[in-house]
């Protein structure tokens, strides 16, 4: 293909897989890029989705040479905020949180909040981190309002961050930062005893912030850019994934980079040249796989088992 005096060699053939049909006749596939979040979630209660997922898993298990972006077990883990928050709580700066597995008496929840060192206000998030309901969160200003939560859910201390959310989009070994608007700062817990909010019940919030991009270009978090680099490297190892997003804020009091959520295959809105970055990553993975296969052939005198 020729464009303005520059030649491009196109070697990727892209097409959509029909999960309702056998996958083998549609292949072979060098790599599959997918976002089966809906199917994984629906498979818990829908037999048709269970069959689609089973067919896909069967193909993947019988074609180990096909590169999968990303592995299904890793994606499934991120669909559960209980699991993803445990990852965030390990060697990663994140706000104190509490898993609420089931409805119980109010004093027990209040005691657990105190034991975990949470402070008001609290953000209440659904356990399932996918779908429209996962974006509906509650802001809780008092212990009495804990009676209105709907388990299973996660309670997380709200951290004042200057109403700016930094979304980090990861594509393989590259990442991009985009600013989004966020919640304003709130008075500390001690002030709420003097200045009570207009109502003492949960404030329901619907987050559709992806539509309101403050900066459509990558931004620098200097002098915290090195912290972001280290964070992404750590998460890539912990998650075993190449395509994910991280919601981070900067604590206005401590100026530390704080992770508040991890997202599966985000929309990458505001990220320039996402598709070219994705293709570069796929090319890199396939080259590495080819190199490994050639090395094994040389060492063993034949192709590795299973390929």
């Amino acid at each position: 293909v020729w464009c303005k005096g520059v030649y491009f060699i196109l070697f990727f053939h892209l097409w959509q897989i029909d999960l309702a049909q056998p996958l083998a006749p549609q292949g072979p596939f060098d790599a599959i890029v997918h976002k089966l979040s809906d199917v994984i979630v629906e498979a818990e209660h829908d037999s048709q989705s269970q069959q689609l997922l089973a067919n896909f898993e069967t193909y993947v298990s019988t074609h180990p040479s096909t590169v999968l972006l990303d592995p299904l077990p890793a994606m499934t883990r991120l669909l559960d905020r209980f699991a993803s928050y445990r990852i965030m709580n390990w060697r990663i700066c994140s706000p104190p949180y509490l898993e609420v597995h089931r409805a119980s008496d109010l004093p027990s929840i209040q005691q657990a909040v105190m034991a975990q060192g949470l402070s008001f206000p609290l953000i209440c998030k659904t356990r399932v981190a996918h779908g429209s309901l996962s974006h509906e969160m509650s802001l809780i200003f008092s212990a009495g309002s804990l009676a209105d939560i709907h388990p299973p859910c996660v309670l997380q201390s709200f951290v004042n961050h200057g109403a700016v959310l930094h979304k980090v989009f990861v594509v393989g070994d590259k990442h991009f930062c985009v600013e989004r608007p966020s919640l304003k700062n709130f008075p500390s817990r001690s002030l709420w005893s003097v200045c009570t909010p207009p109502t003492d019940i949960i404030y329901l919030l619907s987050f559709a912030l992806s539509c309101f991009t403050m900066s459509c270009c990558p931004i620098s978090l200097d002098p915290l850019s090195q912290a972001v680099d280290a964070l992404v490297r750590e998460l890539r190892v912990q998650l075993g994934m190449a395509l994910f997003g991280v919601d981070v804020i900067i604590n206005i009091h401590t100026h530390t980079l704080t992770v508040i959520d991890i997202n599966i295959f985000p929309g990458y809105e505001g990220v320039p040249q996402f598709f070219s970055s994705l293709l570069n990553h796929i090319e890199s993975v396939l080259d590495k796989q080819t190199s490994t296969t050639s090395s094994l052939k040389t060492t063993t005198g034949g192709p590795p088992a299973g390929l």
Side-chain angles (χ1 to χ4, degrees), residues 219-256:
I219 61 169
S220 173
L221 292 179
D222 287 332
L224 296 174
S225 58
Q226 291 183 349
V228 175
D229 294 343
L231 169 66
V232 170
R233 287 195 301 270
E234 180 69 31
L235 284 177
R236 286 195 64 195
V237 173
Q238 293 300 319
L239 299 176
M241 297 175 63
L243 304 173
F244 61 92
V246 190
D247 292 345
V248 300
I249 57 177
I250 299 176
N251 188 314
I252 64 168
H253 302 295
T254 64
H255 306 290
T256 54

Side-chain angles (χ1 to χ4, degrees), residues 22-128:
L23 271 67
Q26 301 180 59
F29 306 112
D30 293 312
I32 298 177
V33 181
H34 70 95
K35 186 174 182 179
L36 293 178
S37 310
D38 288 328
V39 178
I40 295 173
V41 171
E42 293 169 1
E44 294 185 3
H45 52 78
D46 179 68
S47 59
Q48 183 177 4
S49 297
Q50 291 172 5
Q51 187 60 52
L52 294 177
L53 190 59
N55 291 342
F56 186 81
E57 290 176 325
T58 298
Y59 179 85
V60 171
S61 64
T62 55
H63 296 77
S65 61
T66 300
V67 174
L68 191 63
L69 298 178
D70 273 311
L72 289 178
M75 293 188 66
T76 301
R77 182 168 58 159
L78 278 193
L79 287 173
D80 184 350
R81 279 200 174 99
F82 288 178
S84 64
Y85 275 42
R86 290 167 192 164
I87 296 172
M88 289 161 49
N89 201 39
W90 187 80
R91 294 179 57 185
I92 294 174
C93 181
S94 59
Y97 78 98
L98 172 69
E99 298 175 8
V100 182
H101 293 262
R102 62 187 64 86
S104 60
D105 62 297
L106 180 58
S108 296
I109 298 177
Q110 293 174 340
Q111 184 177 8
V113 167
M114 294 180 60
Q116 290 293 99
L118 273 66
S119 59
F120 291 95
L122 300 174
I123 291 283
C124 181
K125 305 177 183 180
T126 60
R127 178 175 185 173
V128 177

